[in-house]
């Protein structure tokens, strides 16, 4: 796509370097914990792929990642996940299931974090998708109003036309798909097994704040039971073009909870000012429907089996955050495998 990448710079937690935060405290070294995590991660992910109905596999998958980490005496890996999961908007460690946390916190991700190899696209993800779409027949501003599936194919109705296809791929959340498509019993089960969170990102102007590092996270907001609306973390904007206030621009993340945008802005200003900086203004604010969290009881009731079985049912396939993870890399990897399953159906 012709997009360059830049390595994420110095990361801090409560004013000290991220890896110093991860490594601190008594117990085995990070290297030892990392080796143990690798072995357990490989074992469980292989078991999920081969024995998704095994009671032991189901029980481990349904645990919260916090419970799983404590059970296996992981101190440093847990600190790493506070940044990799909670700061990133994927939920508190006592809420996120072990399965979903492991999908994201792969050994490769942990190694990338340890060796400061996390990268971001300089032009942004929007530019990536726009350039990718140039080679595709993408219809924007054409909301889907109806999807009807029958033995011969799929009829898709939009505001501007009616289309006929052999198969349909759904990437929006199932609760949103239900607005334009009658769901099967299995699809309804998957829909009802998901809890969606809210994540608010705010581009703000702040005076007298950090300039010599790129990101900072705050453990008071990351701990289980922390109040929604606390500032989870913040990133300094490195390249803001010709804006006069470019040197003051930061982007902060908060769990939205039931708070309206105005209250979230107030809470953000309070947290920023409490750190000794001077909150100036909100430049832009956006609340996202974010991170589909699996209900633990749904996993125990067979969610993994149903999510696998729903693929291809009624000429319909599913991708997106619900079936893999919120991160672009996970969805792309998931799609590679899904396309191999869709291809024979298209040829039939």
């Amino acid at each position: 796509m012709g997009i360059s990448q830049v390595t994420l710079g110095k990361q801090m937690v409560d004013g000290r370097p991220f890896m110093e935060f991860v490594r601190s405290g008594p117990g085995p070294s990070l290297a030892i914990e990392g080796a143990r995590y690798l072995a357990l991660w490989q074992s469980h992910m292989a078991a999920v792929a081969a024995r998704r109905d095994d009671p032991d596999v189901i029980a481990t998958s349904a645990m919260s990642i916090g419970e799983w980490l404590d059970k296996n005496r992981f101190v440093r890996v847990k600190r790493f996940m506070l940044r990799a999961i909670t700061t990133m908007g994927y939920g508190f460690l006592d809420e996120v299931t072990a399965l979903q946390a492991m999908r994201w916190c792969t050994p490769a991700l942990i190694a990338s974090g340890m060796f400061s190899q996390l990268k971001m696209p300089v032009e942004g993800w929007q530019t990536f998708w726009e350039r990718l779409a140039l080679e595709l027949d993408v219809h924007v501003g054409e909301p889907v109003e109806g999807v009807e599936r029958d033995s011969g194919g799929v009829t898709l109705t939009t505001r501007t036309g009616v289309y006929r296809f052999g198969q349909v791929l759904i990437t929006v959340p199932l609760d949103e798909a239900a607005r334009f498509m009658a769901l099967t019993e299995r699809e309804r089960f998957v829909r009802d097994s998901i809890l969606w969170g809210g994540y608010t990102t705010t581009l703000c102007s702040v005076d007298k704040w950090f300039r010599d590092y790129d990101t900072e996270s705050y453990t008071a907001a990351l701990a289980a039971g922390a109040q929604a609306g606390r500032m989870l973390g913040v990133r300094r904007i490195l390249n803001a073009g010709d804006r006069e206030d470019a040197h003051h621009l930061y982007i902060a993340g908060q769990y939205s909870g039931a708070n309206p945008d105005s209250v979230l802005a107030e809470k953000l200003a309070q947290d920023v000012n409490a750190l000794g900086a001077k909150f100036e203004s909100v430049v832009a604010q956006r609340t996202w429907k974010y991170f589909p969290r699996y209900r633990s009881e749904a996993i125990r009731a067979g969610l993994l089996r149903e999510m696998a079985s729903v693929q291809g049912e009624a000429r319909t396939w599913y991708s997106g955050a619900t079936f893999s993870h919120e991160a672009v890399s996970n969805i792309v990897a998931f799609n590679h495998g899904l396309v191999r399953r869709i291809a024979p159906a298209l040829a039939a």
Side-chain angles (χ1 to χ4, degrees), residues 42-59:
Q42 288 178 323
S43 175
H44 184 67
M45 298 310 285
V48 170
R51 308 190 312 276
R52 65 174 63 95
D53 290 324
D54 185 301
D56 291 336
V57 174
I58 291 174

Side-chain angles (χ1 to χ4, degrees), residues 46-253:
V48 170
R51 308 190 312 276
R52 65 174 63 95
D53 290 324
D54 185 301
D56 291 336
V57 174
I58 291 174
T60 299
S61 296
M63 294 173 68
S64 74
I65 189 59
E67 181 184 2
W68 183 85
L69 290 166
D70 290 343
K71 175 184 176 182
N72 290 286
R73 303 184 305 281
F74 285 115
V75 175
R76 287 156 179 76
V77 174
K78 186 174 184 178
R79 289 176 180 166
F80 182 92
M81 288 192 184
L82 284 174
R83 170 73 173 85
I85 293 177
T86 307
T87 302
M88 297 291 288
Y90 303 143
F92 295 109
L93 299 188
D94 66 337
E95 298 175 335
V96 180
T97 61
L99 172 65
Q100 291 182 282
M102 289 188 204
R103 281 180 177 171
W104 170 232
C105 290
T106 63
L109 175 79
I110 293 176
S112 296
M114 289 171 57
F115 295 105
S116 300
Q117 290 301 308
L118 297 174
K119 296 180 180 180
M120 300 176 63
V122 174
E123 291 87 350
W125 286 114
Q126 181 68 20
T127 301
F128 170 82
W129 295 119
E130 289 171 353
R131 293 182 186 176
L132 180 65
L134 290 175
E135 301 179 11
L136 305 173
D137 182 18
V138 177
H139 296 229
V140 296
E142 190 173 357
V144 174
E145 296 182 344
V147 172
E148 296 181 10
R149 300 168 289 178
D150 56 55
S151 59
V154 179
T155 301
L156 188 148
T157 303
T158 74
R159 188 176 300 165
T160 60
V162 177
Y163 305 87
R164 185 71 173 168
F165 299 104
Q167 308 282 325
V168 62
L169 172 65
I170 306 290
T171 61
V172 300
L174 265 164
D175 59 321
E176 296 181 20
R179 300 173 188 170
F180 53 75
M181 182 176 73
L183 302 184
T184 66
E185 181 179 355
R186 181 173 282 126
E187 289 167 339
R188 289 194 298 272
F189 174 78
V190 175
R191 176 199 62 189
D192 296 341
S193 299
I194 304 298
L195 288 171
W196 281 91
Y199 184 66
T200 300
T201 51
T202 304
L203 179 66
C204 53
S205 178
V206 181
D207 193 16
K208 299 179 181 178
W209 213 5
F210 63 87
R211 297 291 308 281
D212 55 349
Y213 51 91
D214 290 346
T215 72
E216 186 165 25
S217 302
Y218 307 98
T219 54
L222 306 181
Q227 185 183 40
R230 295 291 304 273
M231 179 171 56
L232 302 167
V234 64
R235 176 163 54 89
R236 182 170 64 96
I237 300 300
L238 302 179
N239 180 10
D242 297 326
R243 288 188 61 97
E244 293 182 2
D245 59 354
H247 63 291
H248 289 172
L249 290 179
Y250 299 81
I251 188 163

Side-chain angles (χ1 to χ4, degrees), residues 247-262:
H247 63 291
H248 289 172
L249 290 179
Y250 299 81
I251 188 163
Q254 300 161 277
Y255 287 129
S256 316
N259 298 296
D261 288 351
S262 58

